[in-house]
Amino acid sequence: MEGVDPSFMGMPVTLSRLSVLTMNDNFLLVHGFSAFTHLGFLLLVFISCFCKKISFRGPKQMPNYGVLFYRQTLLSCVVLVVLNLVMCFLNLLYWYTNGWSKQNIVTFSDTVVRTLVWLFISVYLHNHVSKYRFALRIWWFSSFLIVCFCLVLDCVFYKQVHSLAAQFLVLDASSAIVGLFLCYVGFLAKNEGGTISHSYHEPLLEGETITRSATSNIFSLLTFSWIHPLISVGYKKRLDLEDVPQLDRLNSAQRLFSVLRNKIEMDKSKSIQMNTLSLVKAVVSTTWKDIIITGLLSFVYTLASYVGPFLIDTLVKYLNGHRNLKEGFLLVSAFIVAKIVECLAQRHCDFKLQQVGINVRAALVAMIYHKGLTLSSQSKQGHSNGEIINFMAVDAERIGDFSKYMHNAWLVVVQVGLALAILYKYLGISSLATFVATIVVMLSNLPLGRLQEEFQEKLMKCKDKRMKTTSEILKNMRILKLYGWEMKFLSRINDIRNDEAHWLYKLVFTMAMTCVAFWVAPTCVAIATFGLVFTCKDGRITQAGKYDDITKLGSDFLELVGAHKQALLEIDFVGHNLGTVKKNIQDETITGQNGNLVEEKKRQLVEEEERERGKVSSSAYWKYLTTAYGGALTLLVLLAEIMFESSQIGSNYWLAWASSTSESNEARVGGFEFIIVYVAFGIGCSFCILVRSFLLMKAGYETANRLFYKMNLCIFRAPMSFFDANPSGRILNRVSTDQTAADLTIPYLIGPFAYVTIQLFGIILVMSLGAWPVFLVFFPVVGICIWLQQYYMPSARELARLVGVCKAPVIQHFSETISGSTTIRSFDQEHRFQDTCLKLIDDYSRPKFHVAAALDWLGLRLDMLSSFIFAFLLIFLVSVPEGIIDPSTAGLAVTYGLNLNMLQAWAIEKLCKLEIQFISVERIFQYSSIPSEPPLVIDSNRPDHFWPSQGKVDIHHLQVRYAPHMPLVLRGITCTFHGGKKTGIVGRTGSGKSTLIQTLFRLVEPTNGEILIDGINISSIGLHDLRSRLSIIPQDPTMFDGTVRSNMDPLEDYTDDQIWEALDKCLIGDEVRNKEGKLDATVTENGENWSVGQRQLICLGRVLLKKSKILVLDEATVSVDTATDNMIQKTLREHFSDSTVIAIAHRITSVVKSDMVLVLNNGSCLVEEYDSPTTLLEDTSSSFSQLVMEYSMRSNSSHVTSYS
């Protein structure tokens, strides 16, 4: 056989000759496999065609320009035919010149079969262009993998196996490029059934644009250049939702919902019971193609990422031996091509996975909405509105987030297997120790994983309880402020948060332990491996014994140390990924738990949600970092990371230096000394990791707690106008999603960003030791990276803000629909509401889709720039003359350089993600600076304990408006409510009745004028002193989750006997006694287990318990029947005969027995009508008489109608 020394038969062979034999075998094996595979495909095609009677020469069709890249695809196949045909002739020419050989037979057969296969595909595409069949696309990918293997072999064994190796290198490189394009056409491109409908590119509305990803060319899609116009717009101006292109039809909620619903209905028609498994199948059916594509991309990325570690030993040997510049450049090319394939596969896989998650979430939300819209009243009894909303707001989001990790389970097995295979290649049987140590380390994390699950479950229960309570409080904040109970309910929230913080601390502590375990793992594995090492070569053990003995015998073992270290890092990377995946899933799970997000439909105009402008200020970062302990922990975390990186570099450099031998083959250090120093470095690294992890955990935990307490205090102390302008769902987003980000996301973005940045500088330092000219390109490239980051961030930042802003309308619409589903169905408006929901879902998906694309746009460019630095390093190392650079140092530099693109990209990406996620902290800061109400207590001006003693209310020239930009509601009212008298306030809608009462309780502050109670200006005393001395029965009877006792006396000021006395006075005592628990009887959320009349009587019991001198009735009987109204009026006359009663009347009959009547009209007090009811009724032209007359006419009309 050519290239094999004749002495091979029966004679000892050298390593190089044995390597040539192995190369021959590998070369023949790969090309033989290629020929066999192509031949098998050809036979299957012919059999299929014969069975289906498909004609090869069917009638020629006109080119179908709807088929994606038809001309380019056909031309690519023709190019492959020509290239393989040329190689056939070259093989024949070589046979004619030099004679035939075994290699020529195999390679000739390979090229002939390849030519026939691609010729058949070209003819097929020419005659059958309706679509690209799935089998054809699978073949394109399979042939691409085969060509890639051949290409790697060509690069490594160039000019060592076959005389036509250079030609095969050109053929396989060209085939790989064409194959990559065909794979893109077959899998990555946006085509449904192989065709593109022109309707996909039409805007939904005039003036709207479709995302360019649906219409861009191959280069634009491959490099994410299609999103550049949006990034450019965002760099020049602040992005609004109108600037973000619409999703194409394939990614629209309408199509995704239709596919999912059809699949579910198909299962129902087959009598398949709907369960978790069937739902999973239905969801998979909507995105199965993307799942396969991402799986293939993940596999390619994994294989490409291990090419570098596999070739590192070859590079070191090349630098240590006789150098051939051409071979060196081919080796460099192999490194670079693998790195570029890795970058492209990783970026497109990440983007596609996020796209899958967005689509799955859209389909599920639309399906849940559709189901909620059609639920009967009986079916809804099994699920509360909050529960149904949680399915959409929480569960669907979590399922979508899972898509990022769907392939990790099997990828981990592949990655660990490849890493161990590399170790076995370098260490032989010794890798078994590594394998066992790795298994032990991974198994040791199982208890930590179980603890994390337990703590997370407890944390979620506390969080759900807090969100449920917060939602109820926000919905009834007006009532709480009227009663003066808001601070008591804030303490309830704080108590629940304390329990939540307890489990949060345990969770983050366990996460820190897991992080420490993964970082310490490589040191444990390395020490276990170095205990007793066997040095293997060519399938046999050449050296065995302790380290000290082996180092004295030769350099075989020492050559393996660097490669061993790299393989350990690969295993550590896999393990760290496992921990990161689990942590991310937990983060996303916790982040998704928004609790009972039920929006309250406000009667006031709701303001558009405020968005910060521009980049997150450096003062915001500084404020966050210094929130806990003045930032002292932040400095300690950075110091621990610097010490860790220094120890890591020292450890690796010690391995490289100790592995080098002198010309006499004597080791530089003894084995015992080597192990001791190495273990010392390992212990130092472990200690630094331990300190770093726990300090970061403590800093993040304390900061999150302080932010929470401050934000909640500001929310509870906010004026009522804040709650009128901001729906409860918007506020809940701050205290749930944003707070969760502060709890579990922000600290673990800031920390890793600092770590990666420090590691990046460490890598550059090590690379400069091996090749100092790297600095010549490093700083310009870093400058370009920073410029790209600055160019990208404005768009990414605003897109992230739009994601937050667009989420609330989906929840709002969903909540309103669930509450009013019966009315919607009654008016046959399901389709209109369904269409509105689908549009809102698309509006939410649009910025999320472009956020993902923009991040990968940046990441790909950072990867390419890092690959450029790595290529410069490799070219310098293979070009520099021998003896200039120590091969061990060069190998260490290359080992670090393999991670350069990853770390540099991570540094920039984490900075971008940090700024995007830091918007949550920015939003918390925003709510932590809400202007508060006036003080609750003014110590210098507190009324005496018996105030008010008379109950006289004087109003002088009172003017009130709800906001500075709004008109006056009350325009100068002047009147007096005499003490001990009952005054009824009447007026048409919008006359200012409720505004007057809100001003009395200072829910709205006067613009001008004043209100005096017993001679004291109410604006001069604290809010708590004012509201605690007044009583009110509100229009909406409200009860809170808890017990009867906690609803009657939440401040715990009264005894049980006093509470029973008040309940008996309002004639509900017997009903409470009949309930289980009596005063401890359960009250559910919003008092849903009590009737409206019972709730109103409880409200009456509260004022009877409090017995204030001034009582306000804000249309208190509007929600009860006439009998209950009469009973309440009778009770009030008996027990508040000496109190000042101010009643806003809904029924005229409620005020005709009042001492005085005040008629309001357009905010002006008609003083001439402020008199007793009898006097006003005598004047038939008075406004009060007209109101009584209108009420009587309506009542009579209703009475007649009811009997007609």
Side-chain angles (χ1 to χ4, degrees):
M1 183 179 297
E2 181 177 334
V4 179
D5 195 290
S7 63
F8 173 77
M9 298 301 297
M11 297 181 62
V13 294
T14 61
L15 173 62
S16 60
R17 290 175 180 175
L18 183 59
S19 298
V20 171
L21 178 61
T22 305
M23 294 172 188
N24 276 319
D25 292 339
N26 289 337
F27 191 86
L28 291 174
L29 180 63
V30 172
H31 282 277
F33 175 75
S34 173
F36 178 79
T37 306
H38 282 79
L39 182 61
F41 172 77
L42 202 59
L43 290 175
L44 287 175
V45 167
F46 275 102
I47 293 172
S48 176
C49 292
F50 178 78
C51 294
K52 295 183 179 180
K53 298 182 180 179
I54 296 177
S55 172
F56 290 102
R57 297 182 59 189
K60 186 175 184 301
Q61 301 179 12
M62 294 298 293
N64 186 353
Y65 296 107
V67 179
L68 192 66
F69 300 122
Y70 167 72
R71 289 181 174 177
Q72 295 90 329
T73 303
L74 180 59
L75 179 61
S76 299
C77 294
V78 172
V79 168
L80 290 179
V81 172
V82 173
L83 288 174
N84 284 283
L85 192 60
V86 170
M87 280 304 301
C88 288
F89 284 112
L90 289 176
N91 267 288
L92 290 173
L93 181 61
Y94 179 82
W95 165 72
Y96 178 78
T97 306
N98 301 313
W100 208 253
S101 68
K102 187 177 180 180
Q103 293 159 317
N104 284 108
I105 295 174
V106 174
T107 55
F108 179 73
S109 302
D110 186 21
T111 52
V112 168
V113 179
R114 286 194 198 186
T115 304
L116 293 175
V117 168
W118 290 110
L119 180 62
F120 165 78
I121 293 176
S122 301
V123 174
Y124 175 81
L125 289 176
H126 184 65
N127 292 327
H128 303 84
V129 294
S130 59
K131 66 177 182 177
Y132 303 135
R133 294 184 180 274
F134 184 69
L136 181 62
R137 288 180 276 160
I138 290 294
W139 170 250
W140 284 344
F141 180 77
S142 301
S143 62
F144 172 67
L145 287 182
I146 295 172
V147 169
C148 286
F149 282 120
C150 293
L151 180 60
V152 171
L153 217 62
D154 294 336
C155 293
V156 176
F157 305 141
Y158 174 66
K159 283 193 176 181
Q160 297 182 20
V161 178
H162 196 282
S163 299
L164 294 177
Q167 289 82 349
F168 272 104
L169 180 64
V170 174
L171 171 66
D172 291 333
S174 304
S175 300
I177 295 173
V178 174
L180 184 63
F181 168 73
L182 293 177
C183 287
Y184 169 79
V185 171
F187 293 98
L188 293 183
K190 303 272 185 184
N191 72 95
E192 180 73 10
T195 62
I196 292 182
S197 170
H198 292 292
S199 65
Y200 290 164
H201 307 306
E202 295 175 359
L204 301 179
L205 298 172
E206 185 177 355
E208 292 183 343
T209 58
I210 298 295
T211 178
R212 292 174 179 263
S213 64
T215 58
S216 298
N217 57 42
I218 175 66
F219 177 80
S220 179
L221 291 168
L222 198 62
T223 61
F224 294 99
S225 298
W226 55 268
I227 200 175
H228 179 260
L230 179 63
I231 295 175
S232 178
V233 171
Y235 182 72
K236 297 174 183 176
K237 71 180 232 15
R238 185 195 191 202
L239 285 179
D240 294 313
L241 188 60
E242 294 75 18
D243 299 316
V244 182
Q246 295 285 341
L247 298 174
D248 59 83
R249 299 287 182 184
L250 289 175
N251 293 307
S252 66
Q254 176 68 54
R255 190 195 75 87
L256 297 167
F257 165 62
S258 178
V259 173
L260 180 60
R261 183 176 61 177
N262 291 340
K263 176 62 178 176
I264 292 177
E265 290 178 352
M266 187 183 303
D267 289 343
K268 287 182 178 179
S269 65
K270 297 178 182 178
S271 300
I272 298 177
Q273 184 178 2
M274 179 55 62
N275 52 31
T276 302
L277 181 60
S278 57
L279 179 60
V280 169
K281 291 180 179 178
V283 170
V284 170
S285 68
T286 63
T287 57
W288 66 272
K289 292 182 181 179
D290 290 334
I291 292 174
I292 293 176
I293 293 169
T294 52
L296 295 175
L297 286 172
S298 299
F299 185 70
V300 172
Y301 157 71
T302 301
L303 290 180
S305 66
Y306 279 84
V307 170
F310 182 79
L311 295 179
I312 189 69
D313 185 58
T314 305
L315 177 63
V316 173
K317 289 179 179 178
Y318 169 83
L319 297 176
N320 216 10
H322 178 71
R323 302 187 181 186
N324 184 313
L325 198 57
K326 291 184 179 180
E327 294 179 6
F329 280 118
L330 282 175
L331 197 57
V332 169
S333 300
F335 273 101
I336 299 305
V337 169
K339 185 60 67 176
I340 291 175
V341 171
E342 174 191 346
C343 296
L344 288 172
Q346 180 187 17
R347 292 300 161 191
H348 282 279
C349 180
D350 289 346
F351 174 66
K352 205 69 177 176
L353 284 174
Q354 293 190 67
Q355 187 178 353
V356 168
I358 293 170
N359 289 347
V360 167
R361 179 201 168 276
L364 287 174
V365 169
M367 195 69 207
I368 295 169
Y369 181 89
H370 175 73
K371 186 67 177 178
L373 191 59
T374 56
L375 275 180
S376 64
S377 299
Q378 184 177 2
S379 299
K380 287 177 66 176
Q381 292 179 0
H383 299 284
S384 66
N385 289 356
E387 233 182 328
I388 299 174
I389 292 173
N390 276 342
F391 293 152
M392 178 273 295
V394 178
D395 298 320
E397 194 82 38
R398 290 165 60 187
I399 294 173
D401 292 336
F402 169 75
S403 66
K404 302 174 187 176
Y405 318 108
M406 68 170 68
H407 298 300
N408 285 59
W410 63 269
L411 273 181
V412 165
V413 177
V414 174
Q415 291 170 346
V416 171
L418 289 173
L420 291 175
I422 292 175
L423 275 179
Y424 184 80
K425 175 179 180 290
Y426 291 140
L427 298 179
I429 297 177
S430 301
S431 61
L432 293 178
T434 305
F435 177 72
V436 172
T438 303
I439 296 299
V440 170
V441 170
M442 296 179 71
L443 290 177
S444 66
N445 283 277
L446 292 180
L448 291 175
R450 294 193 188 97
L451 285 175
Q452 284 188 5
E453 292 177 6
E454 178 186 349
F455 296 154
Q456 179 190 343
E457 182 180 357
K458 298 289 182 61
L459 176 69
M460 294 317 305
K461 288 181 179 179
C462 293
K463 185 178 287 294
D464 286 342
K465 182 179 179 181
R466 175 170 64 85
M467 293 314 303
K468 177 183 177 182
T469 306
T470 304
S471 176
E472 184 182 39
I473 289 173
L474 292 176
K475 185 176 181 179
N476 299 290
M477 183 59 76
R478 186 183 304 275
I479 304 299
L480 294 180
K481 286 186 176 292
L482 288 171
Y483 285 149
W485 291 351
E486 68 267 33
M487 300 311 294
K488 178 64 177 181
F489 278 75
L490 174 61
S491 66
R492 289 187 184 181
I493 296 293
N494 290 341
D495 291 340
I496 299 173
R497 172 64 184 185
N498 290 338
D499 294 336
E500 180 185 351
H502 170 74
W503 296 112
L504 173 64
Y505 185 87
K506 289 191 173 184
L507 176 64
V508 294
F509 182 88
T510 310
M511 289 165 57
M513 288 290 294
T514 304
C515 179
V516 170
F518 276 121
W519 278 101
V520 172
T523 303
C524 298
V525 173
I527 293 174
T529 306
F530 288 157
L532 176 57
V533 181
F534 296 93
T535 304
C536 302
K537 277 207 169 186
D538 307 331
R540 61 190 181 89
I541 300 175
T542 59
Q543 296 171 333
K546 298 181 179 178
Y547 178 88
D548 187 47
D549 299 327
I550 298 176
T551 54
K552 294 178 180 179
L553 293 175
S555 62
D556 287 344
F557 165 71
L558 298 175
E559 292 176 353
L560 306 179
V561 176
H564 173 70
K565 183 66 176 179
Q566 174 64 25
L568 289 178
L569 290 175
E570 294 293 342
I571 291 180
D572 173 56
F573 175 72
V574 172
H576 189 63
N577 271 350
L578 279 172
T580 302
V581 167
K582 190 165 188 178
K583 174 185 175 300
N584 286 342
I585 291 177
Q586 291 169 348
D587 290 353
E588 298 294 343
T589 299
I590 295 173
T591 302
Q593 297 288 347
N594 288 338
N596 185 8
L597 302 181
V598 182
E599 288 283 356
E600 178 187 7
K601 188 175 181 180
K602 297 293 184 180
R603 287 170 289 182
Q604 297 283 12
L605 288 177
V606 177
E607 297 178 357
E608 182 181 355
E609 184 168 5
E610 182 181 353
R611 273 199 295 154
E612 296 288 346
R613 294 178 178 269
K615 68 178 182 179
V616 178
S617 64
S618 56
S619 61
Y621 289 107
W622 180 255
K623 184 177 180 181
Y624 176 84
L625 293 174
T626 57
T627 296
Y629 306 110
L633 293 182
T634 303
L635 295 176
L636 293 176
V637 169
L638 290 176
L639 180 61
E641 173 58 25
I642 293 172
M643 294 176 64
F644 166 73
E645 185 61 24
S646 301
S647 300
Q648 278 278 82
I649 294 175
S651 174
N652 293 334
Y653 188 79
W654 172 255
L655 283 175
W657 181 83
S659 298
S660 300
T661 57
S662 62
E663 295 180 358
S664 60
N665 287 332
E666 292 183 1
R668 289 180 173 173
V669 295
F672 181 76
E673 181 182 354
F674 171 82
I675 291 294
I676 288 298
V677 174
Y678 182 78
V679 170
F681 275 120
I683 293 174
C685 290
S686 302
F687 177 76
C688 292
I689 285 294
L690 183 69
V691 173
R692 185 192 76 179
S693 299
F694 286 108
L695 287 179
L696 176 65
M697 177 272 295
K698 182 65 174 177
Y701 169 81
E702 290 293 339
T703 302
N705 266 345
R706 298 187 186 193
L707 291 177
F708 173 84
Y709 292 124
K710 184 174 182 181
M711 176 177 65
N712 270 266
L713 176 62
C714 290
I715 290 174
F716 275 72
R717 291 287 293 116
M720 200 60 222
S721 58
F722 169 79
F723 300 96
D724 291 333
N726 293 274
S728 59
R730 186 181 298 172
I731 303 173
L732 284 171
N733 273 337
R734 307 289 175 116
V735 299
S736 60
T737 304
D738 293 329
Q739 182 60 45
T740 300
D743 287 342
L744 288 163
T745 304
I746 303 299
Y748 305 101
L749 283 176
I750 292 180
F753 168 69
Y755 308 158
V756 170
T757 303
I758 293 171
Q759 289 176 24
L760 183 61
F761 283 106
I763 284 181
I764 296 303
L765 176 63
V766 173
M767 291 174 65
S768 66
L769 295 176
W772 63 265
V774 168
F775 281 115
L776 297 178
V777 296
F778 172 73
F779 290 110
V781 168
V782 169
I784 296 174
C785 290
I786 294 175
W787 178 83
L788 281 172
Q789 186 265 343
Q790 296 294 327
Y791 183 74
Y792 153 86
M793 271 313 301
S795 300
R797 186 168 48 238
E798 295 307 321
L799 286 171
R801 286 171 175 156
L802 285 173
V803 169
V805 169
C806 292
K807 187 175 183 179
V810 180
I811 300 174
Q812 172 77 14
H813 180 71
F814 201 93
S815 171
E816 292 177 348
T817 301
I818 297 300
S819 300
S821 58
T822 304
T823 305
I824 295 171
R825 291 197 299 269
S826 300
F827 286 91
D828 194 24
Q829 295 295 309
E830 295 97 325
H831 290 295
R832 181 167 68 87
F833 277 77
Q834 182 84 51
D835 291 341
T836 301
C837 178
L838 293 175
K839 182 183 182 302
L840 291 174
I841 293 172
D842 281 341
D843 287 344
Y844 177 61
S845 299
R846 282 159 59 194
K848 285 183 73 72
F849 175 82
H850 290 88
V851 162
L855 182 60
D856 285 304
W857 175 90
L858 174 68
L860 183 63
R861 281 146 183 79
L862 297 178
D863 288 344
M864 292 299 110
L865 289 170
S866 300
S867 298
F868 174 73
I869 296 179
F870 184 53
F872 180 85
L873 170 68
L874 291 174
I875 293 172
F876 175 80
L877 291 177
V878 300
S879 303
V880 72
E882 296 181 36
I884 301 296
I885 297 176
D886 181 15
S888 297
T889 305
L892 182 63
V894 174
T895 301
Y896 269 84
L898 286 172
N899 296 322
L900 176 63
N901 74 302
M902 179 180 66
L903 287 177
Q904 183 173 324
W906 278 4
I908 301 297
E909 284 182 28
K910 287 188 181 296
L911 176 60
C912 298
K913 287 183 178 180
L914 174 60
E915 184 162 353
I916 291 172
Q917 291 292 328
F918 205 79
I919 291 173
S920 294
V921 176
E922 181 184 68
R923 286 155 61 91
I924 291 176
F925 285 156
Q926 191 181 75
Y927 269 34
S928 298
S929 58
I930 302 171
S932 65
E933 290 183 303
L936 295 176
V937 174
I938 300 177
D939 293 326
S940 60
N941 192 21
R942 300 200 66 176
D944 60 58
H945 181 70
F946 301 101
W947 178 86
S949 57
Q950 299 178 6
K952 181 181 179 181
V953 180
D954 292 304
I955 303 175
H956 299 291
H957 307 293
L958 184 65
Q959 294 182 346
V960 176
R961 54 163 51 97
Y962 282 103
H965 63 279
M966 298 182 70
L968 288 172
V969 180
L970 299 179
R971 302 182 179 90
I973 288 181
T974 299
C975 63
T976 299
F977 301 140
H978 298 285
K981 301 292 184 180
K982 179 179 180 181
T983 302
I985 303 176
V986 297
R988 302 184 188 277
T989 301
S991 61
K993 304 186 298 295
S994 295
T995 303
L996 180 60
I997 298 304
Q998 291 187 66
T999 309
L1000 180 64
F1001 282 81
R1002 291 180 64 188
L1003 294 185
V1004 182
E1005 292 292 330
T1007 304
N1008 285 306
E1010 60 182 2
I1011 298 178
L1012 305 178
I1013 296 180
D1014 285 358
I1016 295 179
N1017 188 339
I1018 63 173
S1019 297
S1020 65
I1021 62 176
L1023 292 178
H1024 185 267
D1025 285 338
L1026 171 66
R1027 294 168 182 171
S1028 62
R1029 308 299 176 89
L1030 307 179
S1031 292
I1032 184 172
I1033 301 179
Q1035 178 178 347
D1036 298 321
T1038 303
M1039 294 181 72
F1040 301 92
D1041 184 42
T1043 63
V1044 174
R1045 179 187 284 105
S1046 65
N1047 271 274
M1048 287 288 293
D1049 180 28
L1051 302 182
E1052 301 176 359
D1053 290 336
Y1054 304 96
T1055 65
D1056 286 0
D1057 292 338
Q1058 291 174 312
I1059 295 175
W1060 281 118
E1061 182 183 355
L1063 290 173
D1064 289 333
K1065 287 180 179 178
C1066 63
L1067 305 181
I1068 199 176
D1070 291 337
E1071 292 186 36
V1072 175
R1073 289 186 180 91
N1074 292 331
K1075 289 184 177 292
E1076 183 179 358
K1078 296 182 173 54
L1079 289 181
D1080 293 323
T1082 302
V1083 178
T1084 61
E1085 183 181 1
N1086 298 316
E1088 295 293 338
N1089 60 335
W1090 293 67
S1091 69
V1092 175
Q1094 289 174 326
R1095 280 181 262 165
Q1096 193 64 284
L1097 292 177
I1098 290 292
C1099 292
L1100 175 61
R1102 291 170 183 161
V1103 300
L1104 289 171
L1105 186 64
K1106 190 175 181 180
K1107 196 65 172 62
S1108 299
K1109 189 64 177 177
I1110 297 178
L1111 172 64
V1112 176
L1113 307 177
D1114 186 5
E1115 299 184 322
T1117 58
V1118 68
S1119 301
V1120 297
D1121 56 79
T1122 304
T1124 305
D1125 182 13
N1126 292 333
M1127 188 272 291
I1128 292 175
Q1129 298 296 338
K1130 179 181 178 182
T1131 302
L1132 292 176
R1133 284 194 297 271
E1134 289 179 1
H1135 299 285
F1136 289 91
S1137 57
D1138 59 343
S1139 298
T1140 302
V1141 179
I1142 303 172
I1144 295 178
H1146 174 70
R1147 297 184 177 96
I1148 294 297
T1149 55
S1150 301
V1151 297
V1152 293
K1153 296 182 180 180
S1154 300
D1155 298 314
M1156 301 290 288
V1157 172
L1158 174 67
V1159 181
L1160 294 180
N1161 186 16
N1162 296 326
S1164 299
C1165 177
L1166 303 179
V1167 179
E1168 67 274 12
E1169 294 190 4
Y1170 183 36
D1171 209 331
S1172 66
T1174 304
T1175 304
L1176 292 176
L1177 287 173
E1178 290 176 355
D1179 183 3
T1180 57
S1181 63
S1182 68
S1183 297
F1184 181 67
S1185 296
Q1186 294 176 9
L1187 287 173
V1188 172
M1189 188 179 300
E1190 290 178 11
Y1191 177 80
S1192 299
M1193 293 176 62
R1194 287 198 304 270
S1195 300
N1196 292 334
S1197 175
S1198 301
H1199 181 74
V1200 172
T1201 302
S1202 65
Y1203 285 94
S1204 61

